[in-house]
Amino acid sequence: MATDRESSTDLIGDPPWLEGLLVDPAAVRRVRGVRRFVESDSYAQSFGREWNWFAQTQLDRPEENRAESRQTFAEKTGLGPEDLAGKTVLDVGCGMGRFAEVALSMGARVVGVDLSTAVDAAYGNLGDRPDAAFLQADVFDLPLREESFDLIYSIGVLHHTPNTREAFLRLPRLLKPGGRIVIWVYTSERRIGYAASDLYRRFTTRMDDERLLRLCKAAGPIGALYRTRPGRYLSPLLPVSHHPDPEWRVLDTFDWYAPRYQWKHDWDEVEEWFRTAGLEEIRRHGVPVAVSGRRPAEAPAANRS
Ligand SMILES: C[S@@+](CC[C@H](N)C(=O)[O-])C[C@H]1O[C@@H](n2cnc3c(N)ncnc32)[C@H](O)[C@@H]1O
């Protein structure tokens, strides 16, 4: 938890509405404009590097007809402007803010939290928006008041923590009664496809981040080859991103091979977590494994710690 204290009038950069969501608004350790509730990015250091190296690669660019983050958000959450407009929303593991930007564009007020210095990239991208706030904090110890949020989403995050289920179970209490939560975690359906990368990850997760980045850059042309018909058959042997954008390919490949934790789950397992949390209206969304649920309007969600 933060140790340095400042008067709340000294706070620059946080929107005034944020204080009402914090457990202890007076607890402030601020570095580079962002409130920090952890001392370091811990096991998520590679993410801090990744999102500061590639701070804007995945931001949508409507002027260039690039809307992949918006499309991915819709596929993985099933949410649209009607669900977000005027809502107070928590983005758990916001990275550099690509999905926070989408939620903001749909009229939400967004708090983005991330364990790593990725929040610096998010703050750089979106920190000037009056409806956005970013905190460096751990999903296992969020400095946020219970029953604060209409909606929580977490895309591609919880499987990168030491325990996906336990990380998830920290979240429903932060929902207002009747609020919704949606998560997307890696699927365990593609076991064969994962065999080679699971083997390589034994080495890559121990590598220096800069060295791994150089390897991922070198693998860029291989990813381009996988976009051809003959190349497709080679990809299970050396799985690397085959995204059409070369920079995105490097980022995606690094994102796959660097993180210390990378758990995979199936639908039944994830739905069980939602039931354990006392959530209802549990739904599967378009991409495995994306699941949402609603906190009952009356009864409180399971209050685990
Ligand atoms: C693959 S990135 C996804 C970022 C963003 N949601 C996106 O899809 O662009 C996973 C993020 O989870 C964050 N993360 C990992 N463990 C976390 C934890 N315990 N608490 C909060 N964030 C965490 C990492 O720092 C990283 O930014």
Side-chain angles (χ1 to χ4, degrees):
M1 267 307 229
T3 48
D4 306 339
R5 284 175 175 267
E6 296 171 4
S7 130
S8 54
T9 52
D10 292 331
L11 302 179
I12 304 162
D14 283 335
W17 50 263
L18 178 66
E19 297 228 339
L21 303 178
L22 294 170
V23 171
D24 181 2
V28 180
R29 189 170 72 85
R30 187 183 292 276
V31 182
R32 296 185 294 279
V34 176
R35 289 191 197 231
R36 319 270 166 171
F37 294 87
V38 289
E39 296 301 324
S40 76
D41 20 15
S42 176
Y43 63 83
Q45 198 180 48
S46 69
F47 284 116
R49 299 236 165 92
E50 170 183 324
W51 294 124
N52 284 286
W53 286 333
F54 298 96
Q56 301 205 327
T57 308
Q58 296 184 330
L59 287 181
D60 281 347
R61 300 199 187 108
E63 68 287 359
E64 294 171 26
N65 273 340
R66 282 177 56 152
E68 189 168 331
S69 291
R70 200 178 174 94
Q71 283 156 10
T72 304
F73 184 81
E75 283 166 12
K76 291 183 175 169
T77 66
L79 298 168
E82 64 285 2
D83 304 298
L84 286 144
K87 299 288 166 53
T88 301
V89 174
L90 179 62
D91 179 337
V92 179
C94 60
M96 55 62 148
R98 66 187 289 216
F99 296 120
E101 185 187 49
V102 174
L104 287 164
S105 77
M106 295 181 182
R109 171 178 280 183
V110 181
V111 178
V113 296
D114 201 289
L115 177 59
S116 76
T117 53
V119 283
D120 291 317
Y123 184 72
N125 286 330
L126 302 166
D128 61 347
R129 307 273 184 106
D131 282 331
F134 295 97
L135 312 172
Q136 188 177 359
D138 187 346
V139 66
F140 289 97
D141 188 20
L142 288 175
L144 297 162
R145 285 181 194 271
E146 294 189 5
E147 303 195 357
S148 291
F149 294 92
D150 300 298
L151 178 69
I152 298 175
Y153 65 84
S154 182
I155 303 176
V157 174
L158 303 178
H159 51 238
H160 288 308
T161 70
N163 187 319
T164 316
R165 179 180 189 271
E166 291 303 316
F168 169 74
L169 289 171
R170 301 298 168 114
L171 298 175
R173 77 188 68 185
L174 301 177
L175 286 173
K176 294 177 186 171
R180 286 173 72 188
I181 178 165
V182 53
I183 65 167
W184 174 70
V185 295
Y186 285 159
T187 175
S188 54
E189 279 172 11
R190 301 185 206 119
R191 285 216 182 276
I192 294 174
Y194 292 142
S197 69
D198 282 352
L199 176 65
Y200 304 142
R201 275 180 43 79
R202 291 189 195 177
F203 304 96
T204 59
T205 53
R206 294 181 198 155
M207 276 171 87
D208 172 65
D209 288 333
E210 271 86 8
R211 191 156 168 234
L212 179 58
L213 178 67
R214 285 197 293 279
L215 276 183
C216 295
K217 284 182 177 166
I222 300 173
L225 177 71
Y226 293 168
R227 298 183 61 75
T228 66
R229 186 180 281 268
R232 251 200 331 245
Y233 300 105
L234 298 172
S235 70
L237 296 175
L238 179 55
V240 296
S241 169
H242 51 264
H243 194 280
D245 177 337
E247 192 172 278
W248 196 307
R249 277 205 294 278
V250 177
L251 159 58
D252 258 358
T253 303
F254 184 88
D255 187 84
W256 189 258
Y257 285 104
R260 183 180 310 172
Y261 301 108
Q262 191 200 70
W263 309 110
K264 285 115 183 168
H265 304 280
D266 64 35
W267 292 109
D268 292 342
E269 192 183 3
V270 176
E271 285 175 341
E272 184 272 325
W273 306 341
F274 277 69
R275 283 194 295 276
T276 300
L279 297 163
E280 55 189 28
E281 292 178 36
I282 300 168
R283 293 200 187 121
R284 297 179 179 190
H285 294 278
V287 185
V289 177
V291 177
S292 70
R294 186 181 294 283
R295 183 172 179 169
E298 300 298 326
N303 196 13
R304 299 169 48 106
S305 58

